[in-house]
Amino acid sequence: MGGSLDPLFLFVRDFIADEMLLPLGGGVIVGFSGGADSTCLLHILNLYINDPERLVAVHVNHMLRGGEAQRDEAHAERFCASLGVRFVCAREDAAAYAAERKMSVEAAARDVRYAAFERERLAMEAATGCAWRIAVAHNRDDLAETVLMNVLRGAGVDGLRGMGASAAYVVRPLLRVGRADVEAYLSKNGIGYVVDSTNVDIAFTRNRIRNELLPLLRGHYNPSVNDALCRLSDNAGRDADYLAGEALRAYGACATGGGRGAAPTVGVSPTVGLSPNVGLSPTVGLPPYVELSISRFNALHAAIAARVARLACVEAGADARRLEHVHISDIMELAASGRTGAELHLPGGLRVRRTYGVLVFAAPSATVVAPSAGCGCGRDARVPRETTAESGHGCVQGCGRDARVPAPPALPIGYVIKSLHKKDDEIVEQIKKIRYNSSEQLFDADSLCPDELELRFRRAGDTFFPINAPGSKKLKEFFIDAKIPGDVRSAVPLLAIGRDIAWVIGHRVGERYKVTDSTVNILRVRYIPG
């Protein structure tokens, strides 16, 4: 059909390149319902990638629509066979999932759908040793609907952004393509698709917005309302990125070093469409609580303080989708005027406690004590108490008094995925976006032998030359400088060459192995936690 010359194909191809949506040499999991949008997406990506080993279509049967769901599954499988694309079907009982978790069926379907995509993504990364992304078929009309729905809910700047072209491992190649363009592409190329009857069920809020409210706005107020809503998304996105960057810096200034460190693992952009924390950079070997200085937190502008509070909640293990405006307001009020010892109980079991000069954000599994607690020897004993460690007696500094120090956690180490690339402009742009605490880093491939890299935990005699540091030091000294608690240092994974550390995963890369202006070949390494 000459699809490579089709204007829509060329538009999507350029959008993928401009937004750097797909990994070099990697693969794509396509969320494929068999509807118009996902059919268009799969057809275009099959032409774009042109390699059956790098494309997998995942169809999720939510077991909600009886015979219609079976029809969709069969159609999706036939279409993939016609393209020569690998087809995977996941059958998930969304209604049972919703009942068990006391959530809406719509939300449950989204959760099980993205969980299925993520399972396949991880399986393909492990099988191929390459990076994979999840491509979903949200289009420009979906973006407009999402923004309007969030306006009606009273969302802030993040909600007005709607959704981005990428979030964690999820990419949206059709995000700037209108639904009419999708249908025209399919019609012109004689491509069939299925129609989900629930798309016109006005019991769902999104369907009422799509089929009732937006047509009303177009007919009586603004015939280009979709364009206006997408411009609102763009403007809000720019503001949200700026505020998120400022919040990350403020978070670093407010974090005391107790619990998780001053560099949060959450990204600056919201993760839209994923279950909580799926695809975020892992927090490796660090305890499930966060401490923020109350005095520094209270000195922040309210717009930044609210974001810092949300970052702390998510970093401590909260589900960001369950955090409402009232919860963040309660945290800010606790910091401003709460009494010492006062505590908030938030969704998911998260607790926020005001203690001596700090706010402590603790996951359900963490029990933390005030900074002044401990054995009474005068040394810092900010450690979890009431642990089950049989050896949990004795001060962390070894004074012999009882502070119930937990034994170092015994964690599976996971694995790494390595790939070699030539340094080019696209790689350089990616380098700029990778933070020190990311689960993925780039190295100068010619400064090391990839086969000599060993993933392991620390050993006696390990040394580390942190990037931009004046020289090498003992790994223990780096841990102390980075304020990584002693009871979790043995669980921090390392990428090492002998006794020399190339990467303290989740914290810093080594100076000797960094990418420089003279670098020719790049080694990309992604850490997958166990």
Side-chain angles (χ1 to χ4, degrees):
M1 61 141 225
S4 62
L5 300 178
D6 188 281
L8 185 64
F9 171 87
L10 296 174
F11 179 85
V12 175
R13 182 198 65 182
D14 292 345
F15 183 68
I16 290 171
D18 292 344
E19 298 292 330
M20 295 187 292
L21 298 185
L22 301 182
L24 295 174
V28 185
I29 304 297
V30 180
F32 182 50
S33 69
D37 296 330
S38 65
T39 298
C40 177
L41 175 65
L42 181 61
H43 192 266
I44 287 176
L45 288 180
N46 186 50
L47 292 171
Y48 177 82
I49 294 174
N50 194 29
D51 182 351
E53 299 299 317
R54 296 171 52 208
L55 191 65
V56 177
V58 177
H59 177 85
V60 179
N61 184 338
H62 300 101
M63 302 172 67
L64 293 173
R65 294 178 289 121
E68 186 176 285
Q70 296 301 319
R71 176 209 68 181
D72 292 356
E73 180 183 322
H75 168 83
E77 185 170 11
R78 286 195 302 271
F79 185 73
C80 288
S82 72
L83 295 181
V85 171
R86 181 186 167 196
F87 174 78
V88 173
C89 180
R91 296 182 179 91
E92 304 286 349
D93 191 338
Y97 184 96
E100 180 183 346
R101 290 162 178 78
K102 295 181 174 59
M103 61 196 305
S104 72
V105 173
E106 191 177 17
R110 182 185 63 240
D111 277 4
V112 299
R113 184 165 62 250
Y114 278 92
F117 299 159
E118 179 68 1
R119 285 195 303 271
E120 189 64 24
R121 185 188 71 82
L122 291 174
M124 292 307 299
E125 286 198 342
T128 64
C130 299
W132 283 66
R133 295 290 183 267
I134 298 166
V136 292
H138 293 127
N139 61 39
R140 198 165 184 269
D141 293 60
D142 294 319
L143 175 59
E145 293 162 8
T146 299
V147 172
L148 183 54
M149 185 161 58
N150 290 344
V151 168
L152 297 176
R153 290 171 173 170
V157 173
D158 287 326
L160 296 181
R161 129 185 265 157
M163 62 183 81
S166 62
Y169 300 118
V170 174
V171 298
R172 300 180 175 89
L174 299 185
L175 194 60
R176 296 302 177 188
V177 176
R179 189 169 289 127
D181 296 318
V182 166
E183 293 174 354
Y185 177 89
L186 297 175
S187 176
K188 181 170 64 174
N189 292 291
I191 301 170
Y193 57 91
V194 294
V195 177
D196 184 341
S197 62
T198 63
N199 286 343
V200 295
D201 184 352
I202 60 172
F204 297 106
T205 301
R206 181 178 288 274
N207 287 346
R208 290 198 302 275
I209 289 173
R210 175 184 302 163
N211 299 314
E212 297 180 347
L213 182 54
L214 277 168
L216 178 67
L217 294 173
R218 276 193 291 269
H220 295 278
Y221 297 94
N222 182 354
S224 301
V225 65
N226 279 31
D227 293 339
L229 289 168
C230 289
R231 285 197 303 273
L232 175 59
S233 171
D234 289 340
N235 293 333
R238 284 193 294 269
D239 291 349
D241 284 343
Y242 174 78
L243 290 170
E246 291 300 304
L248 283 170
R249 283 186 280 274
Y251 181 98
C254 290
T256 66
R260 292 182 175 171
T265 59
V266 291
V268 298
S269 298
T271 303
V272 180
L274 285 176
S275 294
N277 301 334
V278 171
L280 298 181
S281 302
T283 301
V284 182
L286 297 179
Y289 67 94
V290 168
E291 290 182 1
L292 299 183
S293 163
I294 290 176
S295 61
R296 294 177 209 154
F297 180 80
N298 285 338
L300 299 174
H301 187 283
I304 300 300
R307 288 172 174 270
V308 169
R310 184 174 290 272
L311 281 172
C313 289
V314 174
E315 188 71 356
D319 180 348
R321 295 176 304 177
R322 299 180 66 185
L323 292 173
E324 300 178 4
H325 175 77
V326 64
H327 302 134
I328 302 303
S329 296
D330 286 346
I331 293 170
M332 295 171 70
E333 184 176 346
L334 178 66
S337 57
R339 60 177 176 81
T340 297
E343 186 170 277
L344 297 173
H345 291 254
L346 301 182
L350 183 75
R351 291 171 293 117
V352 183
R353 181 178 177 85
R354 181 183 175 123
T355 184
Y356 298 97
V358 295
L359 287 179
V360 180
F361 297 72
S365 60
T367 303
V368 297
V369 297
S372 60
C375 66
C377 70
R379 299 172 183 171
D380 189 357
R382 291 188 193 179
V383 295
R385 66 179 178 185
E386 300 175 9
T387 70
T388 57
E390 294 180 2
S391 60
H393 293 274
C395 170
V396 70
Q397 271 82 11
C399 75
R401 299 180 184 176
D402 186 357
R404 299 192 181 276
V405 180
L411 298 176
I413 196 166
Y415 61 97
V416 293
I417 296 173
K418 296 180 287 186
S419 57
L420 287 169
H421 309 272
K422 285 289 184 184
K423 183 181 173 186
D424 57 20
D425 292 342
E426 185 174 346
I427 284 283
V428 171
E429 287 302 312
Q430 292 181 23
I431 292 170
K432 295 176 182 177
K433 296 181 180 180
I434 294 177
R435 301 191 306 277
Y436 286 149
N437 65 330
S438 173
S439 61
E440 180 176 314
Q441 292 292 346
L442 304 181
F443 301 87
D444 185 326
D446 298 319
S447 67
L448 48 77
C449 176
D451 292 338
E452 293 179 359
L453 288 170
E454 177 186 9
L455 179 65
R456 62 172 175 81
F457 294 122
R458 68 173 178 170
R459 297 173 185 163
D462 281 344
T463 60
F464 184 44
F465 189 165
I467 190 170
N468 299 328
S472 184
K473 62 177 69 176
K474 293 180 179 178
L475 181 62
K476 178 181 178 180
E477 294 174 353
F478 170 77
F479 282 152
I480 293 171
D481 293 343
K483 298 181 180 179
I484 300 173
D487 56 313
V488 299
R489 294 172 190 167
S490 295
V492 176
L494 310 167
L495 201 62
I497 300 176
R499 295 294 187 193
D500 189 36
I501 307 303
W503 182 18
V504 179
I505 296 175
H507 296 279
R508 201 70 59 84
V509 297
E511 172 72 19
R512 295 188 181 95
Y513 311 108
K514 70 179 183 182
V515 176
T516 67
D517 291 342
S518 60
T519 295
V520 176
N521 299 302
I522 298 285
L523 176 68
R524 181 192 296 274
V525 182
R526 175 180 296 160
Y527 172 69
I528 309 297

